[in-house]
Amino acid sequence: MTEELFNESKKYFPGGVNSPVRAFKPYPFFVKSAGGCKITDSEENTYIDHCLAYGPLILGHADPKVVREVSNQMTIGSAYGAPTENEIKLAKEVVDRIPSAEMVRFCNSGTEATMSAIRLARGFTGRNKIIKFEGAYHGAHDYVLVKGGSGAACLPDSAGIPTDTTKNTLSVPFNDEEALTDLIEKEGNEIACLIMEVVMGNVGCIEPKPGFLEFVRKITEENDIVLIFDEVITGFRASRGGAQEYYGVTPDLTTLGKIVGGGLPMGAFCGKRKIMELIAPQGPVYQAGTFSGNPISVQAGLSTLSQLDDKFYKDLERKGNFLRGNIESIIDDEQYNIQCVGLASMFQIYLNPAEVYNYADAQKSDTERFLRYFRALLKEGVFIPPSQFECNFISSAHSMADLQDTSDAIENALAVAFKKKNRF
Protein backbone atom coordinates (compact mmCIF):
# COMPACT_ATOMS: atom_id res chain seq x y z
CA MET A 1 0.00 0.00 0.00
CA THR A 2 2.82 2.45 0.82
CA GLU A 3 4.37 2.17 -2.63
CA GLU A 4 0.96 2.62 -4.25
CA LEU A 5 0.29 5.74 -2.18
CA PHE A 6 3.67 7.16 -3.06
CA ASN A 7 3.15 6.56 -6.77
CA GLU A 8 -0.24 8.27 -6.52
CA SER A 9 1.26 11.10 -4.50
CA LYS A 10 3.90 11.80 -7.17
CA LYS A 11 1.12 12.61 -9.64
CA TYR A 12 0.06 15.60 -7.54
CA PHE A 13 3.07 16.72 -5.47
CA PRO A 14 6.63 17.41 -6.69
CA GLY A 15 8.65 14.42 -5.51
CA GLY A 16 5.51 13.02 -3.90
CA VAL A 17 5.84 15.17 -0.76
CA ASN A 18 4.97 18.65 0.49
CA SER A 19 8.35 19.26 2.12
CA PRO A 20 11.66 17.82 0.89
CA VAL A 21 12.77 16.68 4.36
CA ARG A 22 9.96 14.09 4.31
CA ALA A 23 11.40 12.26 1.32
CA PHE A 24 13.62 9.21 1.63
CA LYS A 25 14.36 6.19 -0.55
CA PRO A 26 12.75 4.08 -1.72
CA TYR A 27 9.69 5.98 -0.45
CA PRO A 28 8.38 7.45 2.81
CA PHE A 29 5.69 5.78 4.87
CA PHE A 30 2.28 7.47 5.00
CA VAL A 31 0.86 8.26 8.43
CA LYS A 32 -2.56 6.95 9.40
CA SER A 33 -2.69 8.13 13.02
CA ALA A 34 -0.62 9.07 16.04
CA GLY A 35 -1.01 9.26 19.81
CA GLY A 36 1.42 9.84 22.65
CA CYS A 37 4.90 8.91 21.48
CA LYS A 38 3.70 6.48 18.80
CA ILE A 39 2.94 7.00 15.13
CA THR A 40 1.14 4.45 12.92
CA ASP A 41 1.49 4.17 9.16
CA SER A 42 -0.98 3.12 6.46
CA GLU A 43 0.13 -0.51 6.76
CA GLU A 44 -0.54 -0.54 10.52
CA ASN A 45 3.15 -0.47 11.46
CA THR A 46 3.68 1.46 14.70
CA TYR A 47 6.86 3.35 15.54
CA ILE A 48 8.23 5.10 18.60
CA ASP A 49 8.45 8.64 17.24
CA HIS A 50 11.58 10.71 17.82
CA CYS A 51 10.93 12.98 14.86
CA LEU A 52 7.86 14.51 16.53
CA ALA A 53 7.03 16.62 13.46
CA TYR A 54 10.60 17.99 13.62
CA GLY A 55 10.22 19.28 17.14
CA PRO A 56 6.88 20.95 17.95
CA LEU A 57 5.27 18.03 19.78
CA ILE A 58 6.96 18.34 23.16
CA LEU A 59 3.84 16.77 24.77
CA GLY A 60 3.64 14.03 22.14
CA HIS A 61 0.84 13.47 19.66
CA ALA A 62 -2.78 14.39 20.42
CA ASP A 63 -2.21 15.57 23.98
CA PRO A 64 -5.63 15.33 25.68
CA LYS A 65 -5.62 18.89 27.08
CA VAL A 66 -4.55 20.40 23.76
CA VAL A 67 -7.13 18.35 21.84
CA ARG A 68 -9.93 19.29 24.24
CA GLU A 69 -9.22 23.01 24.35
CA VAL A 70 -8.53 23.35 20.62
CA SER A 71 -11.75 21.45 19.89
CA ASN A 72 -13.65 23.88 22.13
CA GLN A 73 -12.11 26.82 20.28
CA MET A 74 -13.14 25.33 16.93
CA THR A 75 -16.79 25.47 17.99
CA ILE A 76 -16.63 29.26 18.38
CA GLY A 77 -14.61 30.07 15.28
CA SER A 78 -11.36 29.29 13.49
CA ALA A 79 -10.38 32.75 12.24
CA TYR A 80 -11.66 36.25 12.91
CA GLY A 81 -9.42 38.85 11.27
CA ALA A 82 -9.60 40.73 14.57
CA PRO A 83 -7.74 40.59 17.90
CA THR A 84 -8.59 38.13 20.68
CA GLU A 85 -7.92 38.10 24.42
CA ASN A 86 -6.08 34.79 24.05
CA GLU A 87 -3.44 36.49 21.91
CA ILE A 88 -2.65 38.72 24.89
CA LYS A 89 -2.54 35.71 27.22
CA LEU A 90 -0.09 33.89 24.95
CA ALA A 91 2.05 37.00 24.53
CA LYS A 92 2.25 37.32 28.33
CA GLU A 93 3.46 33.70 28.50
CA VAL A 94 6.16 34.43 25.92
CA VAL A 95 7.30 37.61 27.71
CA ASP A 96 7.32 35.83 31.06
CA ARG A 97 9.41 32.94 29.76
CA ILE A 98 11.80 34.31 27.12
CA PRO A 99 14.45 36.62 28.68
CA SER A 100 14.78 38.87 25.61
CA ALA A 101 11.03 39.32 25.08
CA GLU A 102 9.47 42.68 25.96
CA MET A 103 7.04 42.76 23.02
CA VAL A 104 5.82 40.03 20.63
CA ARG A 105 4.44 39.76 17.11
CA PHE A 106 2.77 36.47 16.14
CA CYS A 107 3.04 35.17 12.59
CA ASN A 108 2.47 31.87 10.78
CA SER A 109 5.79 30.01 10.68
CA GLY A 110 9.41 30.05 11.69
CA THR A 111 10.31 31.19 8.18
CA GLU A 112 8.03 34.23 8.54
CA ALA A 113 9.51 34.94 11.96
CA THR A 114 13.14 35.00 10.80
CA MET A 115 12.31 36.93 7.62
CA SER A 116 10.47 39.58 9.63
CA ALA A 117 13.13 39.79 12.35
CA ILE A 118 15.84 40.43 9.75
CA ARG A 119 13.70 43.11 8.10
CA LEU A 120 13.12 44.69 11.51
CA ALA A 121 16.85 44.68 12.31
CA ARG A 122 17.56 46.38 8.99
CA GLY A 123 14.88 48.96 9.68
CA PHE A 124 16.24 49.61 13.17
CA THR A 125 19.88 49.99 12.14
CA GLY A 126 19.52 51.44 8.65
CA ARG A 127 22.07 48.85 7.48
CA ASN A 128 21.70 46.10 4.87
CA LYS A 129 24.18 43.30 5.52
CA ILE A 130 23.48 40.28 7.71
CA ILE A 131 25.66 37.53 9.16
CA LYS A 132 24.65 33.89 9.49
CA PHE A 133 26.69 30.83 10.38
CA GLU A 134 27.59 28.26 7.74
CA GLY A 135 25.05 25.46 7.57
CA ALA A 136 22.50 27.23 9.75
CA TYR A 137 18.92 27.03 8.50
CA HIS A 138 16.69 30.01 9.15
CA GLY A 139 13.75 29.13 6.95
CA ALA A 140 13.10 29.00 3.23
CA HIS A 141 13.22 32.72 2.38
CA ASP A 142 15.71 34.25 -0.02
CA TYR A 143 17.90 36.21 2.41
CA VAL A 144 19.10 33.13 4.29
CA LEU A 145 18.72 30.23 1.85
CA VAL A 146 22.33 30.45 0.79
CA LYS A 147 25.52 28.41 0.72
CA GLY A 148 28.23 29.02 3.27
CA GLY A 149 31.10 31.14 2.02
CA SER A 150 33.43 32.03 4.86
CA GLY A 151 33.76 35.78 5.19
CA ALA A 152 32.27 36.47 1.75
CA ALA A 153 28.91 37.21 0.21
CA CYS A 154 26.95 34.00 -0.18
CA LEU A 155 25.73 32.49 -3.41
CA PRO A 156 22.07 31.40 -3.58
CA ASP A 157 21.49 27.82 -2.48
CA SER A 158 18.35 27.46 -4.59
CA ALA A 159 17.34 28.14 -8.16
CA GLY A 160 15.05 31.14 -8.42
CA ILE A 161 16.95 33.35 -5.97
CA PRO A 162 18.74 36.28 -7.67
CA THR A 163 22.36 36.73 -6.66
CA ASP A 164 21.57 40.36 -5.90
CA THR A 165 19.14 39.19 -3.21
CA THR A 166 21.89 37.48 -1.22
CA LYS A 167 24.77 39.84 -1.92
CA ASN A 168 24.35 41.24 1.59
CA THR A 169 24.34 37.85 3.31
CA LEU A 170 27.68 36.95 4.88
CA SER A 171 28.63 33.70 6.58
CA VAL A 172 31.30 32.36 8.90
CA PRO A 173 31.88 28.99 10.59
CA PHE A 174 30.01 28.35 13.84
CA ASN A 175 32.13 28.37 17.01
CA ASP A 176 34.93 30.32 15.26
CA GLU A 177 35.64 33.54 17.18
CA GLU A 178 38.57 34.54 14.96
CA ALA A 179 36.59 34.28 11.71
CA LEU A 180 33.71 36.28 13.16
CA THR A 181 36.08 38.95 14.49
CA ASP A 182 37.76 39.30 11.09
CA LEU A 183 34.42 39.63 9.29
CA ILE A 184 33.05 42.26 11.67
CA GLU A 185 36.29 44.24 11.57
CA LYS A 186 35.95 44.33 7.78
CA GLU A 187 32.19 44.87 7.41
CA GLY A 188 31.00 45.98 10.86
CA ASN A 189 29.60 49.41 10.03
CA GLU A 190 27.41 47.87 7.30
CA ILE A 191 26.04 44.90 9.29
CA ALA A 192 22.45 45.14 10.52
CA CYS A 193 22.24 41.84 12.39
CA LEU A 194 23.74 38.51 13.21
CA ILE A 195 21.18 35.70 13.18
CA MET A 196 22.08 32.37 14.72
CA GLU A 197 20.67 29.11 15.95
CA VAL A 198 21.93 28.96 19.53
CA VAL A 199 22.14 25.19 19.06
CA MET A 200 22.48 24.27 15.41
CA GLY A 201 19.51 21.92 15.15
CA ASN A 202 19.43 21.75 11.36
CA VAL A 203 22.94 20.32 11.09
CA GLY A 204 22.19 17.59 13.60
CA CYS A 205 22.71 19.09 17.04
CA ILE A 206 25.77 21.32 17.54
CA GLU A 207 26.14 23.21 20.80
CA PRO A 208 28.13 26.44 21.16
CA LYS A 209 31.57 26.03 22.71
CA PRO A 210 31.92 27.41 26.25
CA GLY A 211 32.23 31.18 26.03
CA PHE A 212 31.22 31.45 22.36
CA LEU A 213 27.77 32.92 22.98
CA GLU A 214 29.20 35.43 25.43
CA PHE A 215 31.75 36.43 22.78
CA VAL A 216 29.03 36.83 20.14
CA ARG A 217 26.96 38.97 22.49
CA LYS A 218 29.94 41.20 23.32
CA ILE A 219 31.14 41.77 19.77
CA THR A 220 27.66 42.53 18.44
CA GLU A 221 27.02 45.04 21.22
CA GLU A 222 30.37 46.73 20.59
CA ASN A 223 29.51 47.15 16.90
CA ASP A 224 25.80 48.07 17.26
CA ILE A 225 24.75 44.88 15.48
CA VAL A 226 21.34 43.44 16.37
CA LEU A 227 21.75 39.91 17.72
CA ILE A 228 18.93 37.56 16.73
CA PHE A 229 18.62 34.15 18.33
CA ASP A 230 16.71 31.78 16.07
CA GLU A 231 14.96 29.62 18.68
CA VAL A 232 12.39 28.07 16.36
CA ILE A 233 13.68 24.67 17.55
CA THR A 234 15.08 25.43 21.01
CA GLY A 235 12.39 27.86 22.17
CA PHE A 236 10.52 26.22 25.11
CA ARG A 237 12.49 23.00 24.47
CA ALA A 238 16.01 23.63 25.77
CA SER A 239 14.42 25.06 28.92
CA ARG A 240 11.42 27.07 30.08
CA GLY A 241 13.04 30.18 28.62
CA GLY A 242 14.68 28.50 25.65
CA ALA A 243 18.35 28.18 24.85
CA GLN A 244 19.03 31.78 25.91
CA GLU A 245 17.95 30.90 29.44
CA TYR A 246 19.76 27.55 29.27
CA TYR A 247 23.09 29.23 28.37
CA GLY A 248 22.48 32.54 30.15
CA VAL A 249 22.98 34.87 27.17
CA THR A 250 20.26 37.31 26.07
CA PRO A 251 19.91 38.55 22.46
CA ASP A 252 18.12 41.63 21.12
CA LEU A 253 15.50 39.69 19.16
CA THR A 254 14.30 36.08 19.27
CA THR A 255 12.40 34.07 16.69
CA LEU A 256 10.07 31.26 17.73
CA GLY A 257 8.05 28.53 16.04
CA LYS A 258 7.10 24.90 16.55
CA ILE A 259 6.27 24.65 20.29
CA VAL A 260 4.85 28.19 20.51
CA GLY A 261 1.94 26.95 18.38
CA GLY A 262 1.49 23.69 20.25
CA GLY A 263 1.88 21.60 17.11
CA LEU A 264 -0.22 23.86 14.88
CA PRO A 265 1.19 26.27 12.28
CA MET A 266 2.55 29.34 14.06
CA GLY A 267 5.61 31.51 14.53
CA ALA A 268 6.60 34.58 16.52
CA PHE A 269 9.35 37.12 16.89
CA CYS A 270 9.95 39.10 20.03
CA GLY A 271 12.54 41.26 21.68
CA LYS A 272 13.45 44.65 23.04
CA ARG A 273 10.63 47.19 23.11
CA LYS A 274 12.68 49.92 21.39
CA ILE A 275 13.17 47.62 18.40
CA MET A 276 9.76 45.95 18.33
CA GLU A 277 7.95 49.31 18.38
CA LEU A 278 9.19 49.88 14.82
CA ILE A 279 6.77 47.22 13.54
CA ALA A 280 3.65 48.49 11.75
CA PRO A 281 1.17 49.91 12.62
CA GLN A 282 3.23 51.58 15.35
CA GLY A 283 6.33 51.99 13.21
CA PRO A 284 7.56 52.00 9.60
CA VAL A 285 8.65 48.33 9.27
CA TYR A 286 5.80 46.48 7.61
CA GLN A 287 4.74 42.96 8.58
CA ALA A 288 1.28 41.40 8.26
CA GLY A 289 -0.58 38.11 7.83
CA THR A 290 -4.18 37.00 7.47
CA PHE A 291 -3.68 34.14 9.91
CA SER A 292 -1.27 35.86 12.32
CA GLY A 293 -2.48 35.16 15.86
CA ASN A 294 -4.92 32.57 14.52
CA PRO A 295 -7.20 31.57 17.44
CA ILE A 296 -6.76 27.83 16.86
CA SER A 297 -2.96 27.99 16.91
CA VAL A 298 -2.98 30.46 19.80
CA GLN A 299 -5.15 28.11 21.86
CA ALA A 300 -2.87 25.17 21.07
CA GLY A 301 0.09 27.27 22.20
CA LEU A 302 -1.63 28.27 25.44
CA SER A 303 -2.71 24.69 26.15
CA THR A 304 0.83 23.46 25.60
CA LEU A 305 2.75 26.12 27.51
CA SER A 306 0.41 25.79 30.49
CA GLN A 307 1.84 22.30 31.02
CA LEU A 308 5.53 23.24 30.70
CA ASP A 309 6.62 24.06 34.25
CA ASP A 310 9.96 23.53 35.99
CA LYS A 311 9.07 19.98 37.01
CA PHE A 312 8.22 19.19 33.39
CA TYR A 313 11.66 20.28 32.21
CA LYS A 314 13.49 18.42 34.97
CA ASP A 315 11.66 15.24 34.04
CA LEU A 316 12.35 15.72 30.34
CA GLU A 317 16.04 16.38 30.97
CA ARG A 318 16.21 13.23 33.07
CA LYS A 319 14.80 11.29 30.13
CA GLY A 320 17.26 12.93 27.75
CA ASN A 321 20.20 12.07 29.99
CA PHE A 322 18.96 8.50 30.28
CA LEU A 323 18.71 7.97 26.53
CA ARG A 324 21.97 9.74 25.70
CA GLY A 325 23.71 7.77 28.47
CA ASN A 326 22.44 4.50 27.03
CA ILE A 327 23.62 5.47 23.54
CA GLU A 328 27.04 6.44 24.84
CA SER A 329 27.32 3.08 26.62
CA ILE A 330 26.49 1.28 23.37
CA ILE A 331 29.12 3.32 21.51
CA ASP A 332 31.74 2.58 24.19
CA ASP A 333 30.91 -1.12 24.51
CA GLU A 334 31.01 -1.72 20.75
CA GLN A 335 33.93 0.68 20.23
CA TYR A 336 32.15 2.62 17.51
CA ASN A 337 34.16 5.66 16.50
CA ILE A 338 31.12 7.96 16.43
CA GLN A 339 29.63 10.79 18.49
CA CYS A 340 26.45 11.01 20.57
CA VAL A 341 25.44 14.64 21.12
CA GLY A 342 22.53 16.57 22.56
CA LEU A 343 21.07 18.52 25.46
CA ALA A 344 17.78 18.63 27.33
CA SER A 345 15.32 16.62 25.18
CA MET A 346 17.41 16.78 21.97
CA PHE A 347 19.84 14.17 20.66
CA GLN A 348 21.64 12.93 17.56
CA ILE A 349 24.35 10.47 16.61
CA TYR A 350 27.06 11.72 14.24
CA LEU A 351 28.57 8.86 12.29
CA ASN A 352 31.83 10.71 12.45
CA PRO A 353 35.07 9.83 14.28
CA ALA A 354 35.78 13.46 15.25
CA GLU A 355 33.86 15.85 17.46
CA VAL A 356 31.51 18.16 15.56
CA TYR A 357 31.79 21.91 16.18
CA ASN A 358 30.51 23.36 12.89
CA TYR A 359 28.99 22.60 9.50
CA ALA A 360 32.30 21.56 7.91
CA ASP A 361 32.82 19.01 10.69
CA ALA A 362 29.28 17.67 10.29
CA GLN A 363 29.76 17.21 6.55
CA LYS A 364 32.51 14.68 7.24
CA SER A 365 29.92 12.29 8.69
CA ASP A 366 29.17 9.04 6.88
CA THR A 367 25.76 9.83 5.38
CA GLU A 368 25.45 6.52 3.53
CA ARG A 369 25.99 4.58 6.73
CA PHE A 370 23.50 6.88 8.45
CA LEU A 371 20.82 5.92 5.92
CA ARG A 372 21.49 2.25 6.67
CA TYR A 373 21.11 3.08 10.35
CA PHE A 374 17.86 4.99 9.68
CA ARG A 375 16.32 2.14 7.67
CA ALA A 376 17.37 -0.41 10.28
CA LEU A 377 15.77 1.74 12.99
CA LEU A 378 12.49 1.75 11.06
CA LYS A 379 12.57 -2.02 10.97
CA GLU A 380 13.17 -1.95 14.72
CA GLY A 381 10.08 0.23 15.17
CA VAL A 382 11.70 3.63 15.78
CA PHE A 383 11.20 6.70 13.57
CA ILE A 384 13.74 9.51 13.44
CA PRO A 385 14.24 12.21 10.78
CA PRO A 386 15.79 10.54 7.71
CA SER A 387 18.90 12.72 7.67
CA GLN A 388 22.22 12.91 9.46
CA PHE A 389 21.69 16.67 9.54
CA GLU A 390 18.49 16.82 11.58
CA CYS A 391 17.87 16.63 15.31
CA ASN A 392 15.93 13.95 17.20
CA PHE A 393 13.54 14.75 20.05
CA ILE A 394 11.96 13.34 23.19
CA SER A 395 8.48 14.24 24.43
CA SER A 396 6.86 13.96 27.82
CA ALA A 397 4.77 11.13 26.32
CA HIS A 398 7.89 8.92 26.07
CA SER A 399 8.06 6.65 29.10
CA MET A 400 11.32 5.25 30.44
CA ALA A 401 10.26 1.92 28.96
CA ASP A 402 9.83 3.58 25.55
CA LEU A 403 13.29 5.08 25.85
CA GLN A 404 14.77 1.71 26.78
CA ASP A 405 13.08 0.25 23.70
CA THR A 406 14.61 3.07 21.65
CA SER A 407 18.04 2.29 23.13
CA ASP A 408 17.69 -1.39 22.23
CA ALA A 409 16.60 -0.46 18.70
CA ILE A 410 19.56 1.90 18.30
CA GLU A 411 21.92 -0.84 19.45
CA ASN A 412 20.56 -3.22 16.82
CA ALA A 413 20.41 -0.56 14.09
CA LEU A 414 24.02 0.49 14.66
CA ALA A 415 25.05 -3.17 14.46
CA VAL A 416 23.36 -3.35 11.06
CA ALA A 417 24.87 -0.06 9.90
CA PHE A 418 28.35 -1.24 10.88
CA LYS A 419 27.64 -4.76 9.56
CA LYS A 420 28.13 -6.35 12.93
CA LYS A 421 24.74 -7.96 12.58
CA ASN A 422 23.29 -9.27 9.33
CA ARG A 423 19.60 -8.98 10.12
CA PHE A 424 18.17 -7.15 7.10
Side-chain angles (χ1 to χ4, degrees), residues 6 12 28 52 54 79 103 225 229-230 255 305 373 412:
F6 184 61
Y12 303 101
L52 294 171
Y54 292 85
M103 299 186 83
I225 295 168
F229 278 0
D230 180 349
T255 62
L305 293 184
Y373 162 71
N412 290 336

Side-chain angles (χ1 to χ4, degrees), residues 207-241:
E207 288 192 74
K209 289 181 178 179
F212 183 67
L213 292 180
E214 289 82 357
F215 166 78
V216 172
R217 177 66 282 185
K218 183 173 185 290
I219 197 170
T220 52
E221 284 182 334
E222 289 173 348
N223 290 275
D224 298 319
I225 295 168
V226 174
L227 178 59
I228 305 172
F229 278 0
D230 180 349
E231 294 222 46
V232 169
I233 290 177
T234 54
F236 312 115
R237 180 169 283 282
S239 73
R240 185 180 183 276

Side-chain angles (χ1 to χ4, degrees), residues 72-103:
N72 290 340
Q73 174 60 49
M74 283 290 291
T75 66
I76 57 173
S78 61
Y80 304 129
T84 65
E85 184 179 356
N86 273 355
E87 290 174 69
I88 302 172
K89 291 179 180 178
L90 184 56
K92 286 180 177 178
E93 282 287 339
V94 173
V95 170
D96 178 61
R97 291 166 182 262
I98 302 297
S100 65
E102 294 177 359
M103 299 186 83

